[in-house]
Amino acid sequence: MTALTLSTAGAATLRADAVVVGVAKGAKGPVVAAGAEAVDKAFDGKLATVLETLGASGAEGEVTKLPAPAGLKAPVVIAVGLGAAPEKDDSYTPESLRRAAGSAARALSGTKKAAFALPIEASEDAEAIAEGALLGAYAFTAYQDGENGKKPLAEIALLGAKPRDKAYKAAADRAIALTEEINRARDLVNTPPNDLFPESFAAVASAAGKEHGLKVQVLDEKALLKGGFGGILGVGQGAANGPRLVKIAYTHPKAEKSLAFVGKGITYDSGGISLKPAGHNETMKCDMSGAAAVFAAVVTAARLGLRVNVTGWLALAENMPSGTATRPGDVLRMYSGKTVEVLNTDAEGRLVLADALTKASEEKPDAIVDVATLTGAMVLALGTRRFGIMANDDAFRTSIHEIAEEVGEDSWPMPLPTDLRKGMDSPTADIANMGERMGGGLVAGLFLKEFVGEGITWAHLDIAGPAFHEGAPYGYTPKGGTGSAVRTLVRLAERTAEGDLG
Ligand code: BES
Ligand code: MN
Ligand code: ZN
């Protein structure tokens, strides 16, 4: 894990292996950002010219490595692009700082200690830089020895922050707790499905519960059968690794509001009897990203001591074909009592979520948010970098969209058109688990809506696009699990604690 400290030292005098400065794209070439004054001075005030000579422009994500001139303690200077220079002096958006810090941290893998001298005007800037650096320094190393050059940057000293100022201290503490939990979610997503299955995921949740004083309850197959959780059991019955429903609850003695987060936790999605073709199942260990995000968000809420009750529900199952698997044509009796005709066993996420949504509704939370890698259709609609938001309440959907934007997660509001419901009519059961192919992401959302308790505000985040990044890393986003939606859930919990919502 990468360590973070706030330092009052100057960029020229701090002992480190590298010093990071910001460079923005100005109208007439690269512009050195605030925070880099001492470094620029060591270059005789010519850092911008040197960078321009090397072909640097200040574009977002650009990284230029320079040998440090005499006068700097660190041997290497890393100039990281911040993108277009802001109109107002050095008022960079939190997301541009986050991304630049992430790019720098990635470029520094294999390095022991780096000083970050990026522009900081307020504690929010320090928080964004800390978040970006700590997320960018992530590497999944559990199955590789360090010889692949993957050893993440070990130590970050944040310059320009005020270590004795309460707001800065709180910003650093929040960034550390949040990014540790996001990185833990990434680890869970990246862990191969032969090691992460429902039982082992539940064990991780139980251990974290102990560590952070959370109440964790695990329903195993016997308990699920007794409780009548036909959706979770139906999806899990083909696998040798049985399903689980995990409840992980954080409570604050002075809480006035309660939230329930529900996560899709398919530890591997082969499609079941409706088997996915080759080319569609290689990354399906990521199908528990929703559950990982929910788990991380509840633990973060606890670590931050938020004045709100947050309950996480992890609907865990492995979707496999076998002689005991659910067949297309089978009818499941769900926890709610509704019957579902399973037309396609690959539409399994909505089945496990349905049971968890009904269960979560029994406690009458003020709002429920589910998070799921639910449909390929949402990826076709929105691309791989943003999640879709659906809800039974327009204002709530708008709030979540705004919160996501505030924390630097791309998303877009999507409708739940009632005309798509008739496509799920079944001649045999109350509803089928599949409807029209067109608008498949919305069809899935409409299915879920029927399992949310009467009168409960609910939103559904389809993170199938951004949960698992297959392209080259960028900013603070690594290859593989991204920890998508954790920041949005945590900010929602914070805003709810502050009484900002409803
Ligand atoms: N887990 C998949 C959705 C998915 C696709 C996640 C791509 C991440 C990347 C889900 O269980 C699924 O298979 N959905 C089907 C539903 C269909 C059968 C109605 C889909 O989207 O094709
Ligand atoms: Mn599926
Ligand atoms: Zn799935």
Side-chain angles (χ1 to χ4, degrees):
M1 227 171 336
T2 309
L4 177 96
T5 51
L6 303 183
S7 171
T8 49
T13 52
L14 186 79
R15 217 171 270 287
D17 301 301
V19 55
V20 176
V21 299
V23 51
K25 201 171 170 151
K28 292 187 236 87
V31 185
V32 175
E37 292 80 6
V39 175
D40 192 23
K41 200 170 154 216
F43 279 93
D44 291 329
K46 296 197 179 82
L47 180 54
T49 318
V50 171
L51 285 168
E52 192 165 21
T53 309
L54 290 171
S57 68
E60 182 187 310
E62 177 189 87
V63 171
T64 312
K65 289 191 188 185
L66 304 142
L72 291 188
K73 275 259 157 62
V76 178
V77 173
I78 304 261
V80 64
L82 285 157
E87 299 193 350
K88 223 180 106 237
D89 283 359
D90 290 309
S91 54
Y92 296 90
T93 65
E95 183 61 5
S96 61
L97 295 173
R98 219 177 266 121
R99 288 192 183 201
S103 295
R106 278 192 299 104
L108 285 162
S109 77
T111 308
K112 259 204 84 194
K113 179 174 180 179
F116 279 60
L118 292 170
I120 293 179
E121 289 191 326
S123 63
E124 288 77 20
D125 302 328
E127 186 167 349
I129 294 165
E131 276 181 21
L134 291 169
L135 291 174
Y138 171 81
F140 183 60
T141 53
Y143 296 80
Q144 284 170 326
D145 49 35
E147 277 164 35
N148 269 2
K150 268 189 145 188
K151 253 200 157 63
L153 173 63
E155 208 184 323
I156 295 166
L158 211 62
L159 310 186
K162 302 176 184 139
R164 274 173 285 277
D165 183 315
K166 251 192 178 160
Y168 281 88
K169 245 190 78 51
D173 289 346
R174 182 183 182 279
I176 291 167
L178 177 64
T179 58
E180 278 180 5
E181 295 313 318
I182 291 173
N183 287 339
R184 191 206 323 242
R186 291 170 166 183
D187 276 348
L188 286 168
V189 174
N190 290 331
T191 301
N194 55 328
D195 281 340
L196 193 85
F197 41 88
E199 187 186 7
S200 59
F201 194 155
V204 172
S206 298
K210 266 215 185 90
E211 189 186 340
H212 298 288
L214 300 165
K215 212 173 148 214
V216 179
Q217 283 168 289
V218 180
L219 299 189
D220 63 8
E221 286 157 288
K222 234 174 95 190
L224 290 169
L225 197 63
K226 197 160 163 236
F229 291 87
I232 297 174
L233 285 167
V235 172
Q237 74 189 34
N241 297 308
R244 297 287 185 275
L245 177 63
V246 176
K247 176 185 178 184
I248 177 163
Y250 163 66
T251 53
H252 189 286
K254 288 186 184 151
E256 283 167 12
K257 297 270 181 195
S258 59
L259 291 171
F261 296 156
V262 176
K264 171 177 173 181
I266 301 300
T267 56
Y268 185 69
D269 183 12
S270 71
I273 297 293
S274 315
L275 195 64
K276 285 181 187 294
H280 291 260
N281 48 24
E282 291 80 355
T283 60
M284 278 304 143
K285 65 176 182 181
C286 81
D287 216 17
M288 35 55 71
S289 296
V294 163
F295 171 53
V298 176
V299 174
T300 308
R303 288 181 64 170
L304 298 178
L306 303 183
R307 193 172 162 162
V308 57
N309 294 335
V310 186
T311 304
W313 298 89
L314 318 179
L316 308 176
E318 188 179 319
N319 188 22
M320 294 292 272
S322 77
T324 63
T326 291
R327 294 156 283 251
D330 280 358
V331 173
L332 303 177
R333 186 170 294 279
M334 309 293 278
Y335 180 68
S336 76
K338 274 202 174 90
T339 54
V340 177
E341 183 178 15
V342 179
L343 292 179
N344 189 323
T345 63
D346 198 11
E348 83 297 340
R350 64 198 75 182
L351 298 172
V352 298
L353 286 171
D355 278 358
L357 285 168
T358 308
K359 184 72 188 162
S361 298
E362 283 176 0
E363 300 186 350
K364 304 240 175 294
D366 292 296
I368 301 179
V369 180
D370 78 68
V371 187
T373 47
L374 204 59
T375 65
M378 197 56 60
V379 191
L380 290 175
L382 296 178
T384 57
R385 292 194 182 183
R386 69 216 91 250
F387 56 79
I389 312 169
M390 286 143 270
N392 61 4
D393 178 308
D394 288 353
F396 191 53
R397 187 189 57 223
T398 303
S399 293
I400 295 201
H401 180 49
E402 286 169 0
I403 285 168
E405 177 130 346
E406 185 186 319
V407 299
E409 293 202 292
D410 284 330
S411 69
W412 204 253
M414 301 295 273
L416 289 174
T418 49
D419 56 276
L420 289 172
R421 171 60 180 86
K422 65 178 180 310
M424 289 185 284
D425 283 349
S426 157
T428 320
D430 296 328
I431 189 169
N433 77 330
M434 238 186 79
E436 286 177 39
R437 196 166 80 84
M438 300 300 167
L442 320 181
V443 171
L446 274 175
F447 181 94
L448 296 180
K449 189 175 159 200
E450 303 217 354
F451 294 88
V452 177
E454 197 67 31
I456 299 179
T457 304
W458 158 79
H460 158 56
L461 313 185
D462 190 337
I463 61 167
F468 196 82
H469 181 57
E470 293 186 61
Y474 64 95
Y476 53 82
T477 305
K479 235 181 159 46
T482 61
S484 175
V486 177
R487 285 182 282 153
T488 298
L489 293 179
V490 169
R491 179 69 96 224
L492 172 65
E494 289 174 329
R495 294 269 293 261
T496 306
E498 290 156 11
D500 273 9
L501 291 162

